Amino acid sequence: MSEFQSGDTIYEDTLGGGCHWSMRVKKGTLLTLTDVKGGANLGMLFYNPENLLEKYNAPDTLKGQHTFKLTRGHCLYSDMGRIFASIVEDDCGWHDTVCGNLNKDMLQKKWSLKTYQEALNGWTQNGYDAFLVELAKYGLTRKDMAANLNLFSKISTDAEGNMQYSEGSKAGDKIVLRFEMDTLIIMHTCPHPLSNAEEYPVRPVHYALAQAKPVTDNDECMNSRPENQRGFKNNAIYQFMGQ
């Protein structure tokens, strides 16, 4: 059990490799994500369920915390200056939020494109279309998509500054997110767009939901940057005003 967890796990399941899902969580929810086999990639987007125009903002998340990678101690910002979630635990030390999604054309160039009609549950999905399927459930379209998280994926650069996929996570690696406001989560387990796997990687991710312990005054994520303290205040004002 995580040190940030209060009580037993409320719900858990495993999202198979090359699949997608979405769910709404309440403020104070702890989400533990586990790479089941190693080498997973978990694409994620966040939205405010009470105002779907408010969504995850990768540029503000990075520049406000003076970083290019995401790991423990970082917060995940909306485009309204509020904090969707905090990364309270992390076994990997590096997560990407700049490389975006694998799309259909990229998938076809890297691996073979298999449709559901041809391969049934063995079909090869791409992250871009996976997001669109989940977004449609809430009346959202491609115009509502944003730059996404790629959890469990590390990116490095060469001498010319070209980005490339680095080593992946190991089986059993975990990342724990504590949600600081009600959030609609959109996610998929499709490959990272820079993946160098020889075959289409099918890597499941286990997720577990629990109640988080209250945020304390010495909280690492809140105090890691002055910007994060302001983000938590923005959340408090928003929640006090009844959203």
Side-chain angles (χ1 to χ4, degrees):
M1 180 185 295
S2 166
E3 63 177 291
F4 296 90
Q5 183 172 330
S6 175
D8 296 331
T9 296
I10 299 169
Y11 178 77
E12 61 184 315
D13 198 1
T14 298
L15 184 62
C19 296
H20 48 81
W21 191 241
S22 56
M23 56 187 174
R24 177 172 173 167
V25 299
K26 290 286 189 180
K27 176 183 181 295
T29 298
L30 202 69
L31 174 62
T32 300
L33 302 160
T34 306
D35 184 347
V36 177
K37 295 183 177 180
N41 179 70
L42 185 67
M44 298 188 83
L45 287 171
F46 304 132
Y47 296 83
N48 180 346
E50 303 302 327
N51 176 15
L52 292 171
L53 292 174
E54 182 178 3
K55 53 184 176 290
Y56 173 67
N57 189 294
D60 286 355
T61 294
L62 295 180
K63 71 182 182 182
Q65 297 174 95
H66 300 200
T67 186
F68 181 73
K69 66 177 181 179
L70 295 173
T71 186
R72 176 174 177 154
H74 288 142
C75 297
L76 307 174
Y77 277 83
S78 82
D79 52 12
M80 297 294 286
R82 292 185 275 266
I83 296 172
F84 280 120
S86 302
I87 303 176
V88 294
E89 293 185 24
D90 178 25
D91 291 336
C92 302
W94 181 295
H95 302 273
D96 164 52
T97 188
V98 299
C99 290
N101 260 317
L102 181 76
N103 60 36
K104 184 177 180 180
D105 291 340
M106 296 165 67
L107 188 155
Q108 195 161 18
K109 291 178 181 178
K110 287 174 175 286
W111 308 289
S112 60
L113 181 63
K114 299 177 183 178
T115 66
Y116 181 78
Q117 290 76 10
E118 296 168 337
L120 298 180
N121 288 337
W123 66 316
T124 52
Q125 296 197 71
N126 67 84
Y128 184 82
D129 289 334
F131 272 153
L132 287 178
V133 171
E134 291 301 322
L135 290 172
K137 297 177 181 179
Y138 308 93
L140 301 173
T141 66
R142 68 183 68 237
K143 69 179 178 61
D144 301 297
M145 201 181 297
N148 59 283
L149 285 167
N150 284 306
L151 297 183
F152 299 109
S153 293
K154 179 179 179 179
I155 301 303
S156 60
T157 56
D158 60 23
E160 286 73 40
N162 299 306
M163 291 187 294
Q164 53 196 6
Y165 185 81
S166 188
E167 73 271 12
S169 53
K170 303 183 298 298
D173 279 351
K174 289 181 170 62
I175 177 171
V176 182
L177 304 180
R178 183 188 63 207
F179 283 84
E180 314 298 355
M181 59 185 285
D182 291 0
T183 302
L184 171 63
I185 303 171
I186 310 290
M187 57 185 176
H188 68 67
T189 50
C190 298
H192 189 278
L194 299 183
S195 172
N196 50 19
E198 292 184 3
E199 297 182 357
Y200 181 92
V202 180
R203 300 291 186 268
V205 172
H206 181 270
Y207 62 94
L209 300 170
Q211 182 69 38
K213 293 180 180 178
V215 179
T216 60
D217 290 340
N218 63 348
D219 183 75
E220 178 182 4
C221 296
M222 181 172 63
N223 295 311
S224 62
R225 293 293 310 168
E227 291 84 354
N228 291 354
Q229 293 177 351
R230 291 196 289 271
F232 272 84
K233 288 180 180 178
N234 288 342
N235 279 35
I237 293 170
Y238 178 68
Q239 289 149 11
F240 177 78
M241 297 297 289
Q243 303 181 359

